[in-house]
């Protein structure tokens, strides 16, 4: 080979080497960039996890804050973000109730009518019938004078049809007034156990002329117009219904909590401690208080920038702060906001994430499905990211990241809900923190803790296994091993319907077992 050939050969080798170096350098550069972007995403997760931390000491601060706010709300109207509403319910079902009773549950675009048959001695509740009815859209909104009757007339007509079907397996009620428990899940100022003034409509309803009216009276008048011998015996919300049903089955039930799309709690309070209604005559020395605990707030709640953004962009900023951290309506959107932040800081989710910018696109059942995905390649996570958020080809390590975000959000929610429950027990003196006066009863020469049952309802607790486990574990952590065995959380199904009917029995003159 001539000198020219040697030069060309050397040049070619050098050129290839340079090209390879450039390619290698580019690949290394990409890897460095990729690692840097990954570190950014991991840092977002770590900061979020730190902001959501709920060590037991912090939970105990939330417990104390809840008890303090409960005291303040009982002392005066507007004394606390907790409304602590009087329900006038003083007699809870005790299992001796007999007869046939009805429940009407109006809480959204559907309403349900049901009938229960009670046989005394805490017998099983027989359910001859339950009927769900959609409410025609034109009855949900109106400004005309006539329209205020139409919704209640429609409900009364449905009740009449339901009653006319009875006789199959139930006790005939000829010539007898039928007692009705009415669960009305809209803001109401209760004026007695069976009456309340509608403050405002929510959930898509807007019937102008019924605001400021007694909703029980509206329904009673509609029943009269239909010639139906039936009256509203109790007017309640779903939380009170859950407590009533729990107490029917177990006399140690003293509180109820709902953790589903929304959240609320109620409990049995000593009349002497309800300072804002001193002088109100009570026969039993106790009354059920509807806490409206979704509005609870304390500086001890572990709030992050994502919570602040969610609150400020919501239709009710600075309202329902506790609910926005623990209820099913909001958990998915907190997860979405964290993932969106990660996608803005890095391309780990690819470059297209338009659906990730859609508020409330990730609902809680989807969060539960991703969180509880136990397949080795997290197939369910990949499916939800692809179908719902339109993010395809997500690497396994990124899917694991999403599961971790779900875990952080769910764990915080469940542990805060647990702290809220223990806060109620503390206010009632049933958390064991104050010796004999606080949750203990004397038996002979010994003292022992009282058994305390909390009735609980809502899909977040009943259907989301990890949420339930986190909540139960947190209650045990806060109360400690000596006290926690005496506190029982008992799932109630359909407190809003069955509870209303059973409570109607407790308030019926003919509903008590005389044996």
């Amino acid at each position: 080979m001539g000198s020219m050939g040697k030069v060309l050969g050397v040049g070619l080798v050098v050129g290839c080497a340079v090209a390879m170096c450039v390619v290698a350098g580019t690949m290394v550069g990409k890897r460095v960039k990729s690692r840097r972007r990954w570190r950014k995403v991991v840092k977002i997760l770590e900061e979020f996890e730190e902001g959501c931390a709920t060590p037991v000491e912090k939970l105990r601060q939330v417990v104390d804050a809840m008890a303090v706010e409960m005291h303040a709300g009982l002392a005066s109207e507007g004394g606390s973000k907790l409304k602590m509403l009087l329900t006038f319910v003083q007699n809870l079902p005790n299992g001796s109730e007999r007869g046939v009773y009805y429940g009407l549950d109006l809480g959204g675009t559907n309403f349900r009518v049901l009938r229960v048959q009670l046989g005394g001695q805490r017998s099983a509740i027989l359910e001859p019938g339950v009927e769900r009815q959609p409410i025609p859209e034109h009855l949900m909104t109106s400004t005309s004078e006539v329209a205020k009757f139409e919704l209640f007339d429609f409900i009364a007509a449905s009740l009449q049809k339901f009653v006319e079907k009875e006789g199959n397996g139930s006790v005939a009620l000829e010539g007898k007034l039928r007692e009705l428990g009415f669960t009305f899940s809209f803001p109401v100022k209760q004026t007695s156990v069976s009456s309340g003034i509608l403050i405002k409509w929510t959930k898509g309803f807007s019937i102008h002329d019924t605001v400021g009216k007694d909703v029980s009276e509206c329904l009673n008048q509609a029943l009269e117009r239909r010639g139906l011998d039936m009256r509203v015996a109790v007017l309640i919300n779903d939380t009170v219904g859950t407590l009533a049903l729990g107490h029917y089955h177990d006399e140690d039930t003293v509180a109820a909590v709902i953790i589903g799309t929304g959240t609320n709690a109620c409990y049995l309070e000593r009349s002497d401690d309800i300072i804002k209604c001193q002088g109100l005559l009570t026969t039993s020395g106790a009354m059920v208080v509807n806490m409206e605990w979704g509005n609870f707030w304390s500086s001890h709640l572990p709030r992050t920038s994502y919570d602040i953004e969610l609150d400020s962009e919501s239709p009710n900023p600075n309202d329902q702060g506790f609910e926005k951290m623990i209820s099913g309506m909001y958990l998915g959107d907190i997860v979405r906001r964290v993932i969106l932040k990660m996608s803005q800081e890095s391309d780990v989710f690819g470059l297209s994430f338009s659906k990730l910018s859609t508020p409330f696109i990730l609902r809680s059942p989807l969060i539960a499905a991703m969180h509880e995905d136990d397949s080795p390649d997290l197939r369910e996570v990949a499916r939800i990211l692809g179908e719902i958020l339109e993010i395809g080809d997500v690497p396994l390590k990124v899917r694991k990241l999403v599961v971790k975000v779900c875990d952080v959000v769910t764990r915080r929610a469940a542990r805060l809900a647990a702290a809220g429950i223990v806060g109620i027990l503390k206010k009632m003196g049933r958390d064991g923190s104050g010796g004999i006066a606080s949750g203990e009863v004397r038996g002979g020469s010994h003292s022992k803790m009282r058994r305390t049952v909390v009735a609980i309802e809502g899909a977040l607790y009943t259907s989301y296994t990890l949420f339930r486990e986190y909540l139960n574990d947190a209650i045990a952590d806060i109360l400690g091993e000596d006290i926690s065995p005496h506190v029982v959380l008992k799932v109630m199904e359909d407190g809003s319907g069955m509870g209303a009917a059973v409570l109607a029995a407790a308030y019926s003159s003919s509903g008590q077992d005389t044996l």
Side-chain angles (χ1 to χ4, degrees):
M1 183 184 290
S3 59
M4 180 62 82
K6 284 180 182 177
V7 169
L8 282 171
V10 170
L12 194 60
V13 170
V14 170
C16 285
V18 169
M20 286 173 70
C21 286
V22 169
V23 170
T26 303
M27 288 172 68
V28 168
K30 279 185 176 174
R31 276 202 298 271
V32 168
K33 274 185 183 173
S34 176
R35 276 201 296 270
R36 198 177 295 141
R37 284 196 295 265
W38 181 249
R39 278 201 299 271
K40 266 188 175 180
V41 169
V42 170
K43 189 167 188 293
I44 289 169
L45 175 63
E46 287 171 350
E47 286 174 353
F48 179 60
E49 191 171 12
E50 193 178 317
C52 289
T54 51
V56 176
E57 314 82 67
K58 182 172 274 293
L59 292 180
R60 290 203 173 111
Q61 290 174 323
V62 175
V63 167
D64 292 345
M66 179 67 81
V68 166
E69 289 298 315
M70 289 171 74
H71 274 286
L74 290 171
S76 63
E77 292 294 345
S80 163
K81 279 217 165 217
L82 290 178
K83 292 190 173 69
M84 305 302 283
L85 303 174
L86 309 183
T87 66
F88 296 88
V89 172
Q90 300 170 50
N91 308 319
L92 287 169
N94 59 22
S96 68
E97 293 77 15
R98 287 181 177 273
V100 176
Y101 298 90
Y102 291 82
L104 170 63
D105 180 10
L106 175 62
T109 53
N110 293 296
F111 74 91
R112 291 180 316 128
V113 187
L114 65 153
R115 176 174 55 239
V116 300
Q117 189 170 337
L118 308 175
Q121 300 173 337
R122 286 211 159 85
S123 57
I125 298 172
L126 303 177
E127 300 171 72
V130 179
E131 207 167 85
R132 182 184 293 273
Q133 282 266 24
I135 296 172
E137 211 165 302
H138 71 278
L139 297 182
M140 292 169 59
T141 59
S142 184
T143 54
S144 75
E145 176 69 27
V146 181
K148 71 179 178 185
F149 300 120
E150 289 181 342
L151 173 64
F152 291 100
D153 280 337
F154 174 74
I155 293 170
S158 302
L159 262 168
Q160 186 173 35
K161 284 179 197 160
F162 183 79
V163 168
E164 283 168 357
K165 290 179 192 170
E166 82 184 348
N168 300 330
S170 69
V171 179
L173 291 171
E174 284 304 315
K176 187 174 178 183
L177 185 71
R178 296 170 175 87
E179 308 272 8
L180 176 70
F182 187 11
T183 301
F184 186 76
S185 297
F186 298 91
V188 161
K189 179 169 176 50
Q190 201 93 14
T191 50
S192 77
V193 73
S194 60
S195 59
I197 306 299
L198 176 61
I199 297 168
K200 64 176 179 179
W201 286 105
T202 55
K203 306 176 194 176
F205 283 74
S206 178
I207 307 165
H208 181 70
D209 282 319
T210 50
V211 174
K213 301 283 194 306
D214 178 351
V215 289
S216 294
E217 192 55 32
C218 290
L219 182 56
N220 282 333
Q221 287 171 359
L223 294 170
E224 278 177 33
R225 285 195 290 275
R226 307 282 318 177
L228 191 56
D229 200 8
M230 184 178 260
R231 72 172 177 101
V232 176
V234 290
L235 176 70
I236 59 170
N237 71 7
D238 49 2
T239 321
V240 177
T242 300
L243 176 56
L245 187 60
H247 201 271
Y248 176 85
H249 290 300
D250 190 327
E251 66 182 355
D252 290 332
T253 307
V254 291
V257 175
I258 292 180
I259 313 175
T261 305
T263 185
N264 193 14
C266 70
Y267 72 107
L268 195 58
E269 179 61 273
R270 285 173 15 137
S271 301
D272 292 349
D273 281 354
I274 309 175
I275 313 296
K276 64 184 177 184
C277 72
Q278 284 302 339
L280 189 72
L281 290 173
T282 58
T283 51
S284 65
M287 184 188 289
V288 176
V289 173
N290 167 21
M291 292 173 61
E292 291 294 330
W293 87 345
N295 210 33
F296 167 68
W297 188 252
S298 163
S299 60
H300 296 299
L301 292 172
R303 201 183 199 203
T304 67
S305 59
Y306 306 99
D307 300 299
I308 293 166
E309 284 169 15
L310 184 149
D311 180 54
S312 65
E313 292 168 20
S314 71
N316 57 340
N318 300 316
D319 209 14
Q320 298 298 102
F322 196 46
E323 182 168 80
K324 286 171 182 168
M325 295 178 88
I326 71 171
S327 81
M329 175 84 182
Y330 300 99
L331 299 192
D333 209 55
I334 299 170
V335 170
R336 178 193 70 82
R337 286 168 184 275
V338 178
I339 297 173
L340 178 61
K341 172 79 168 171
M342 289 173 169
S343 69
Q344 289 167 340
E345 295 284 323
S346 161
D347 60 0
V348 292
F349 292 99
L351 299 173
S352 172
F353 46 85
S354 59
K355 290 282 185 184
L356 204 45
S357 301
T358 309
F360 296 99
I361 194 169
L362 272 183
R363 295 176 299 104
S364 289
L366 297 172
I367 299 307
M370 291 195 290
H371 191 190
E372 298 181 336
D373 184 357
D374 56 4
S375 60
D377 56 351
L378 297 176
R379 276 193 306 275
E380 188 63 8
V381 177
R383 184 190 71 76
I384 290 168
L385 291 177
E387 289 180 13
I388 307 299
L389 297 176
E390 296 179 0
I391 303 171
D393 303 322
V394 179
L396 182 58
K397 72 173 185 176
V398 178
R399 281 177 246 165
K400 287 179 177 174
L401 197 74
V402 170
V403 173
K404 182 62 179 173
V405 175
C406 295
D407 184 70
V408 171
V409 171
T410 299
R411 190 169 192 271
R412 179 185 70 166
R415 288 173 68 80
L416 289 178
I421 291 169
V422 179
I424 297 172
L425 301 183
K426 185 180 181 74
K427 170 65 187 74
M428 297 183 77
R430 285 174 176 252
D431 67 330
S433 64
I436 301 299
S438 181
E440 295 186 16
V441 289
R442 290 192 183 279
S445 57
H446 302 286
S447 62
K448 60 176 184 175
M449 277 296 298
R450 272 183 296 186
R451 178 173 175 269
T452 297
V453 178
V454 179
I456 192 159
E457 192 176 4
L460 212 55
Y461 187 84
T462 59
S463 305
Y464 192 165
T465 306
L466 286 172
F467 181 95
R468 183 168 63 249
E469 287 174 2
Y470 281 148
L471 189 151
N472 292 344
D473 289 348
I475 285 183
D477 288 347
I478 300 166
L479 290 174
E481 58 186 22
D482 291 340
I483 307 299
S484 61
H486 301 279
V487 174
V488 181
L489 297 189
K490 202 178 263 194
V491 171
M492 287 297 125
E493 288 183 17
D494 194 17
S496 57
M498 299 255 282
V502 171
L503 195 58
Y507 273 85
S508 163
S509 51
S510 57
Q512 300 301 311
D513 194 340
T514 54
L515 297 179

